[in-house]
Amino acid sequence: MKIKGCKRQSFLDQAVQNGGQPIFYLIKCWDKEESFFKLGITVNNILTRYGTVKAMPYEWEILLELPDTAEAVYDLEVKFKTEMQDYHYKPKISFNGSTTECYTDLSEALQQLIQ
């Protein structure tokens, strides 16, 4: 199965090679003109991934971090991207993941996870 983003096997292989902890994450991003949510998966620390202005040109805060197996975090991303496709948003400033993983609102299931 491939969704916009990375292929499942590619992510699973990357997680093994990197040896890091796979994490499903949700962050809120904003500036003076925009506010949106970005979800994703990583095998790196989120602060490392978005620690530069080039990597994340918006102010941001972590709303949710769910470490799990590579398979589980990948499946969570697929689930929430599918649930939230009607809320898809493309930020004005481009960054990694900005065209496929940003949303104006959250699904009810994702909202419940962050409470």
Side-chain angles (χ1 to χ4, degrees):
M1 170 192 249
K2 181 175 181 344
I3 57 171
K4 289 180 182 173
C6 66
K7 291 182 181 174
R8 180 182 172 96
Q9 194 57 51
S10 174
F11 179 73
L12 301 182
D13 294 345
Q14 179 187 353
V16 170
Q17 281 181 326
N18 185 305
Q21 170 63 62
I23 300 169
F24 170 84
Y25 65 88
L26 175 69
I27 59 177
K28 182 174 182 177
C29 307
W30 71 91
D31 67 10
K32 291 179 182 176
E33 298 179 20
E34 301 175 87
S35 178
F36 57 92
F37 300 95
K38 159 87 173 79
L39 63 79
I41 54 178
T42 187
V43 291
N44 300 313
N45 181 296
I46 297 167
L47 296 173
T48 301
R49 180 168 184 165
Y50 294 121
T52 66
V53 173
K54 183 177 179 184
M56 176 48 73
Y58 292 91
E59 296 290 324
W60 61 281
E61 69 175 317
I62 299 169
L63 300 178
L64 181 67
E65 287 181 275
L66 291 176
D68 208 329
T69 65
E71 293 87 351
V73 299
Y74 186 91
D75 292 345
L76 269 178
E77 183 184 48
V78 170
K79 173 185 190 274
F80 289 122
K81 280 183 170 183
T82 302
E83 285 181 4
M84 298 188 335
Q85 62 190 2
D86 290 344
Y87 305 129
H88 183 261
Y89 178 73
K90 185 175 179 190
K92 294 177 183 176
I93 304 170
S94 185
F95 60 92
N96 187 17
S98 65
T99 58
T100 59
E101 299 169 338
C102 294
Y103 304 90
T104 56
D105 206 351
L106 302 175
S107 69
E108 198 169 304
L110 194 49
Q111 287 179 43
Q112 290 176 359
L113 271 180
I114 62 176
Q115 290 181 6

